[in-house]
Amino acid sequence: MTVNQKGLCKGCVESVIVTEEIIQELIKEAEENPTVIVSDEVYLARLKTCESCPSLQYGTTCAHSGCIVRYRAKFKDKSCPFAGKPKWDKVS
Ligand code: SF4
C-alpha cells in the first residue's frame, strides 16, 4: 500500500477500518521527520483525549475528520476537528 503522508483520511484509504500494521507504518513514517511532530508528552495527552471522546470510531478513527487519530495526533500543525470546540490544539 502506498501511504500518503500529507493527508491520510478516509478518502485516501479503501476503508476507515485499518490494520494495526498500517497504523504502525504510518506512525513510523511520521516520525521520520522530527521537525513536524509533537513531543511524546503532547502526543500521549492528545491520544488520551481521543480515547475518551465519543467521536472516536472503531477505536482508531475520528468521526469528524475521518483521520486515524494515532497518525493525526503526531503532527504539530494538526488540531482536533471537533466543530467549534477543538479538544486539542496545534502546537506552534
Ligand atoms: S480528534 Fe477530537 S473529535 Fe476526533 S476523536 Fe479526537 S478528541 Fe474526538
Side-chain angles (χ1 to χ4, degrees):
M1 174 184 167
T2 303
V3 174
N4 178 344
Q5 186 180 2
K6 287 289 176 202
L8 185 89
C9 291
K10 58 190 170 190
C12 306
V13 293
E14 288 175 14
S15 167
V16 293
I17 302 170
V18 295
T19 64
E20 179 64 26
E21 187 184 357
I22 290 173
I23 295 173
Q24 291 289 343
E25 189 182 328
L26 290 167
I27 292 170
K28 199 173 145 198
E29 195 176 297
E31 289 174 341
E32 284 173 7
N33 189 352
T35 60
V36 301
I37 63 171
V38 297
S39 67
D40 287 348
E41 189 181 19
V42 169
Y43 181 60
L44 293 175
R46 285 176 169 186
L47 291 187
K48 198 171 172 188
T49 302
C50 290
E51 280 164 15
S52 61
C53 177
S55 301
L56 187 67
Q57 307 287 298
Y58 316 108
T60 58
T61 306
C62 175
H64 298 279
S65 64
C67 291
I68 309 297
V69 295
R70 283 165 62 197
Y71 179 70
R72 184 182 177 105
K74 274 282 175 190
F75 295 94
K76 289 178 182 173
D77 67 346
K78 295 292 184 191
S79 59
C80 162
F82 193 84
K85 197 178 176 193
K87 299 183 180 187
W88 46 265
D89 295 309
K90 290 179 186 178
V91 173
S92 51

